[in-house]
C-alpha cells in the first residue's frame, strides 16, 4: 500500500496470524532503517526521517522530528490492540506474549547508542506483571534487559547474552 500505516497494519496482521496459528513463537520486525530518507506525510511532517533526526538541538527541528517519531511509535498501538483482541486459550495473545519495542538510538542527533528506550508489552503468560517503569543506571547494557526477557520466557540456562553484565528487574 502507498500508506505507511496501511502497510504496517498489513504486516502486523500477518504477524498476529502467524502467532495465532502457532507457525512461529518469535517475530523480529524493524519498521525502517534509521538512515532512511523516507517522508511520513501521515505524521504531519514533510521532512525525511534521517535528516530530521539531525536536529542540531534546535527546538523547532526537535519538534518536527518528534512528529515523525510519535507517528512511527504510534503504529504499535494497532499491534497491541490486535493481540489484545485475539483469543488464545483462556486469555488473549497479548496475555501470552512479550512484545519488546525500542529504538537503537537515544539521541540520533549525535548517533548516541547509550540509554536507548525500550518498552515491554504483554504478560508473557503471567511471567511479567506490567505497569512498571524502570530506569537503568548509566552504563547498563541493553543486553541485560534481553537476558532478563529470555529468563522470563523460560530460557534460564542462558547465563549471558551479548555484552550483558547482569539481569535487569522486569
Amino acid at each position: 500500500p502507498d500508506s505507511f500505516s496501511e502497510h504496517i497494519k498489513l504486516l502486523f496482521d500477518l504477524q498476529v496470524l502467524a502467532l495465532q496459528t502457532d507457525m512461529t513463537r518469535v517475530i523480529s520486525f524493524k519498521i525502517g532503517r534509521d538512515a532512511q530518507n523516507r517522508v511520513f506525510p501521515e505524521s504531519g511532517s514533510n521532512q525525511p526521517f534521517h535528516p530530521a533526526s539531525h536536529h542540531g538541538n534546535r527546538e523547532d527541528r526537535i519538534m518536527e522530528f518528534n512528529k515523525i517519531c510519535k507517528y512511527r511509535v504510534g503504529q504499535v498501538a494497532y499491534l497491541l490492540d490486535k493481540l489484545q483482541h485475539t483469543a488464545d486459550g483462556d486469555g488473549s495473545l497479548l496475555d501470552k506474549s512479550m512484545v519488546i519495542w525500542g529504538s537503537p538510538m537515544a539521541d540520533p542527533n549525535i548517533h548516541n547508542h547509550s540509554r536507548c528506550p525500550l518498552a515491554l508489552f504483554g504478560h508473557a503468560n503471567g511471567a511479567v506483571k506490567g505497569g512498571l517503569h524502570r530506569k537503568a543506571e548509566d552504563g547498563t547494557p541493553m543486553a541485560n534487559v534481553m537476558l532478563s526477557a529470555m529468563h522470563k520466557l523460560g530460557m534460564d540456562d542462558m547465563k549471558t547474552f551479548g555484552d550483558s553484565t547482569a539481569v535487569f528487574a522486569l
Side-chain angles (χ1 to χ4, degrees), residues 130-143:
L132 302 173
H133 177 267
R134 301 275 193 241
K135 182 176 179 182
E137 296 293 325
D138 285 341
T140 302
M142 188 182 289

Side-chain angles (χ1 to χ4, degrees), residues 145-160:
V145 175
M146 300 304 171
L147 179 64
S148 298
M150 287 189 287
H151 288 180
K152 292 288 186 181
L153 295 173
M155 294 177 256
D156 296 323
D157 57 330
M158 296 289 296
K159 302 301 179 204
T160 63

Side-chain angles (χ1 to χ4, degrees), residues 31-32 39 48 54-55 66 69 88 98-99 125 145 156 169-170:
I31 67 165
V39 175
H54 292 286
H55 47 68
N66 187 47
C69 291
D88 187 60
M98 177 187 293
V99 176
N125 207 24
V145 175
D156 296 323
L170 296 181

